[in-house]
Amino acid sequence: MQSRLEQDIISTAESFTVNFSDKGNFDFTVESLRNVDDILEEIGDFVFDDEEKLDSVASMVGCYIFEVARRNYGGEYFWVQDRAQPILVTGEPEFSVSILAFDKVRGRIKNGKEDEILYYFKGYIDAVEKGKKTGYCATIV
């Protein structure tokens, strides 16, 4: 049974795929994250100084990134109260690799290509693979 948090993230991610369908194929594959980077590059100038818009974009795009991770590698969502955002934890109890996608989207908008989403996500994949082999635990930020 899905939690309310999981339902909200899935719903937001699916809305993202519809709202931005003219910008690429958002099919929840890792490769589709290239299109996410393109969108963030395009809209960065419009939301950079507006915290409300930045939060909105971070949550919408972050939910899509979360769902790419969950649908491809599994995991469970939790709410992190002190950060006021969800976290996806993959691999428990054998290992634990977590991501905070909202923070990463904000970083990508503010810092540009140096915070590329696909590069970040490959770090998550590497950590999951390491975790499967060794029991590794990490939070990818």
Side-chain angles (χ1 to χ4, degrees):
M1 186 162 107
Q2 291 179 335
S3 70
R4 177 74 182 156
L5 177 60
E6 184 174 336
Q7 290 171 5
D8 288 347
I9 291 171
I10 291 168
S11 174
T12 303
E14 289 174 351
S15 292
F16 170 83
T17 67
V18 172
N19 293 337
F20 289 93
S21 62
D22 63 323
K23 299 291 185 185
N25 182 19
F26 297 100
D27 56 1
F28 296 98
T29 61
V30 174
E31 186 61 31
S32 71
L33 295 174
R34 287 187 193 285
N35 296 328
V36 168
D37 259 323
D38 293 342
I39 287 171
L40 293 176
E41 186 72 24
E42 243 180 81
I43 65 174
D45 292 338
F46 300 106
V47 300
F48 184 84
D49 290 329
D50 185 325
E51 283 300 315
E52 190 174 313
K53 287 180 182 174
L54 184 60
D55 286 345
S56 178
V57 170
S59 65
M60 183 177 20
V61 176
C63 284
Y64 181 77
I65 295 167
F66 276 140
E67 273 301 284
V68 170
R70 190 186 66 81
R71 292 180 188 203
N72 288 279
Y73 297 95
E76 188 174 349
Y77 295 114
F78 298 94
W79 186 257
V80 181
Q81 191 66 38
D82 64 333
R83 293 182 95 123
Q85 67 180 293
I87 188 169
L88 176 68
V89 181
T90 302
E92 288 189 333
E94 292 79 20
F95 64 96
S96 178
V97 175
S98 304
I99 58 173
L100 291 157
F102 291 14
D103 281 351
K104 189 60 185 178
V105 173
R106 281 188 194 94
R108 174 63 174 88
I109 289 170
K110 290 187 174 202
N111 302 324
K113 290 186 185 241
E114 71 183 60
D115 275 342
E116 183 184 68
I117 298 299
L118 192 56
Y119 179 81
Y120 163 78
F121 202 85
K122 286 182 178 178
Y124 164 77
I125 294 170
D126 291 346
V128 169
E129 294 303 319
K130 183 176 180 179
K132 288 178 181 178
K133 293 175 187 169
T134 67
Y136 181 68
C137 296
T139 299
I140 310 301
V141 292

